[in-house]
Amino acid sequence: MLHTINKSPFETNSLETCLRFARAGHSVLLFEDGIYGAFKGTRFESLITDSLKSKNIYVLVPDVEARGMRTDNVIDGIKTVDYAGFVDLTVDNKTVQAWL
Amino acid sequence: MKFGILVNEGPYQHQSSDSAYQFTKAALEKGHEIFRVFFYHDGVNNASRLMVPPQDDRNIVNRWTELGKKYNLDLVVCIAAAQRRGMLDENEAKRQGKDASNIAEGFHISGLGQLIEAGIKSERLVVFGD
Amino acid sequence: MEDEVIKKFLYVNRKAPYGTIYALESLEVVLIGAAFDQDVSLAFIDDGVYQLKKDQKTSVDSGAGMKNFSKTYLALGDYDVNKIYVDKASLDERGLTADDLMELVYEDEDDDYKEKSSISIVNQEEIAQLMEQQDVVLSF
């Protein structure tokens, strides 16, 4: 199952709620303002690091670059994708849930 | 693979409308089929043919129209959401006694059943919203 | 229907009513969707649980000046929409209990049309399982 997050974790609880419900083996894509959850040094880093033990987390590169953030500062273990990779994720997962 | 796309937010205000476009385009370029793009909530405003963005910016409605033309997309605007937001096609304008219509080429207005049908007929339904 | 595909549809509601139109328009999708005879469930999580709060009071002519659409939830049982899951943790952190919610019921045709509650208050594990089983997740 693929979960998508498009909100900054500093603005809404979408990321936290999503990770509360996502199960082991699920994938989570951070895009739009959701990408702000992907970086080292934020107060969400330990939540992400912990989730990476059982889940796959992805971040959408065009949205990282648009915001002046750096892909080399993304938390280790998070994978980067472009829109084509986003499409592949939705193909690989039967259910897609957008945490709006 | 066959996709349905739901767009829940309007143009320029939220990135969701851009993300939906980029996703749809990427899926088509990878050879996937888009069964339908359904515009709901403020997403119906993406279909306004009257939008006039600054010249150096993207034109969201034209972009959808062109993608629709290129790939023969079914771009459907929810009638209930559209009417309460003042989005009317020619027929609806006439029927409601309004003096103008504003739905762009390539879009058409229809009921919510089209969204459910997209859910049933597509292998994946991807939601873009806020 | 030309083909008799029955898919599992889950509507995920995470937004409070009135502040934005999402709750109302999401309910409109549920009602239209009911005519398609699919396997429908609704989940209320985070501020979405406020949609089910009883005693909502507003009308076009009074109060907040908006239509009180909460009565529509009460009709869901008549549309065979009777699998309504409410996240317990979301209720707890808002200081709400089952008693604060509208009584949504349906008549169970397999059990002599006995009136039963449509609402299940469940933990995150149960909701996670429910999500995983879906074909289509519509979130508003």
Side-chain angles (χ1 to χ4, degrees):
Chain A
M1 177 167 178
L2 174 68
H3 304 261
T4 66
I5 306 280
N6 70 330
K7 294 294 196 321
S8 162
F10 300 96
E11 187 198 358
T12 75
N13 66 354
S14 296
L15 177 66
E16 288 165 288
T17 300
C18 165
L19 292 177
R20 183 157 73 80
F21 287 100
R23 311 178 90 195
H26 285 189
S27 295
V28 178
L29 171 70
L30 308 173
F31 76 121
E32 298 181 7
D33 287 351
I35 62 107
Y36 291 119
F39 300 97
K40 292 174 187 162
T42 79
R43 72 177 161 89
F44 295 96
E45 184 174 358
S46 59
L47 174 69
I48 293 283
T49 309
D50 206 44
S51 301
L52 279 166
K53 288 175 195 156
S54 61
K55 293 158 198 117
N56 305 303
I57 303 183
Y58 301 84
V59 66
L60 189 73
V61 172
D63 284 342
V64 171
E65 290 177 344
R67 288 161 175 79
M69 303 300 281
R70 295 197 342 256
T71 47
D72 60 6
N73 195 36
V74 163
I75 296 166
D76 297 334
I78 294 184
K79 300 179 191 91
T80 55
V81 290
D82 56 9
Y83 286 106
F86 183 176
V87 172
D88 291 341
L89 284 173
T90 62
V91 171
D92 296 341
N93 291 277
K94 184 177 96 80
T95 310
V96 187
Q97 153 122 14
W99 291 89
L100 303 179
Chain B
M1 186 164 271
K2 205 188 284 184
F3 284 87
I5 307 289
L6 173 61
V7 185
N8 282 341
E9 295 296 339
Y12 304 103
Q13 179 83 10
H14 293 280
Q15 197 187 347
S16 355
S17 139
D18 291 276
S19 300
Y21 172 81
Q22 300 295 354
F23 180 92
T24 303
K25 187 163 159 278
L28 290 163
E29 283 167 359
K30 286 183 78 85
H32 296 297
E33 181 189 340
I34 303 291
F35 175 75
R36 178 170 294 145
V37 183
F38 192 86
F39 296 87
Y40 196 46
H41 298 306
D42 275 356
V44 298
N45 292 314
N46 286 290
S48 171
R49 65 179 171 83
L50 299 180
M51 63 177 78
V52 188
Q55 289 218 330
D56 61 350
D57 199 357
R58 68 225 188 273
N59 186 314
I60 289 182
V61 67
N62 288 353
R63 216 165 55 169
W64 279 115
T65 296
E66 282 154 24
L67 195 69
K69 214 178 273 176
K70 185 168 175 193
Y71 291 96
N72 196 22
L73 295 181
D74 193 22
L75 305 174
V76 178
V77 178
C78 169
I79 187 161
Q83 285 185 334
R84 57 164 69 99
R85 290 169 177 84
M87 297 290 298
L88 302 169
D89 63 8
E90 239 168 87
N91 284 339
E92 268 312 294
K94 227 172 268 171
R95 210 168 67 85
Q96 304 287 347
K98 300 290 185 189
D99 60 4
S101 65
N102 52 357
I103 298 291
E105 185 193 344
F107 292 82
H108 68 272
I109 286 196
S110 190
L112 273 172
Q114 301 271 302
L115 169 60
I116 307 298
E117 193 198 30
I120 296 171
K121 299 252 172 98
S122 307
E123 293 160 275
R124 299 286 184 276
L125 190 91
V126 188
V127 182
F128 294 89
D130 202 71
Chain C
M1 298 295 299
E2 59 198 60
D3 42 20
E4 300 196 356
V5 184
I6 295 189
K7 283 195 168 182
K8 285 176 180 290
F9 275 69
L10 174 68
Y11 295 87
V12 176
N13 300 284
R14 291 181 53 242
K15 293 181 173 130
Y18 305 109
T20 57
I21 199 170
Y22 300 106
L24 186 157
E25 287 192 331
S26 154
L27 195 52
E28 290 182 348
V29 181
V30 174
L31 291 177
I32 298 289
F36 285 74
D37 294 328
Q38 302 293 302
D39 181 357
V40 174
S41 305
L42 272 59
F44 292 86
I45 300 169
D46 290 336
D47 279 353
V49 300
Y50 287 127
Q51 293 182 27
L52 301 179
K53 177 74 180 65
K54 66 182 176 190
D55 299 333
Q56 293 178 33
K57 196 179 155 199
T58 173
S59 77
V60 173
D61 305 311
S62 70
M66 301 165 90
K67 188 170 74 176
N68 179 355
F69 63 98
S70 66
K71 291 177 181 68
T72 312
Y73 295 97
L74 296 170
L76 287 175
D78 300 334
Y79 287 85
D80 288 329
V81 176
N82 50 35
K83 291 188 280 187
I84 297 181
Y85 300 91
V86 180
D87 174 43
K88 183 171 188 305
S90 300
L91 286 177
D92 288 349
E93 68 178 356
R94 286 163 180 78
L96 298 173
T97 67
D99 292 341
D100 293 301
L101 306 181
M102 292 182 276
E103 287 177 39
L104 308 190
V105 294
Y106 71 105
E107 289 176 351
D108 188 350
E109 56 184 34
D110 297 327
D111 190 6
D112 201 20
Y113 293 91
K114 241 186 245 166
E115 197 173 83
K116 296 185 177 175
S117 175
S118 302
I119 295 184
S120 310
I121 295 180
V122 292
N123 63 31
Q124 61 202 42
E125 191 54 32
E126 289 166 281
I127 290 190
Q129 257 175 40
L130 178 76
M131 286 174 174
E132 223 172 35
Q133 296 160 359
Q134 302 304 311
D135 296 305
V136 180
V137 182
L138 287 163
S139 30
F140 296 101

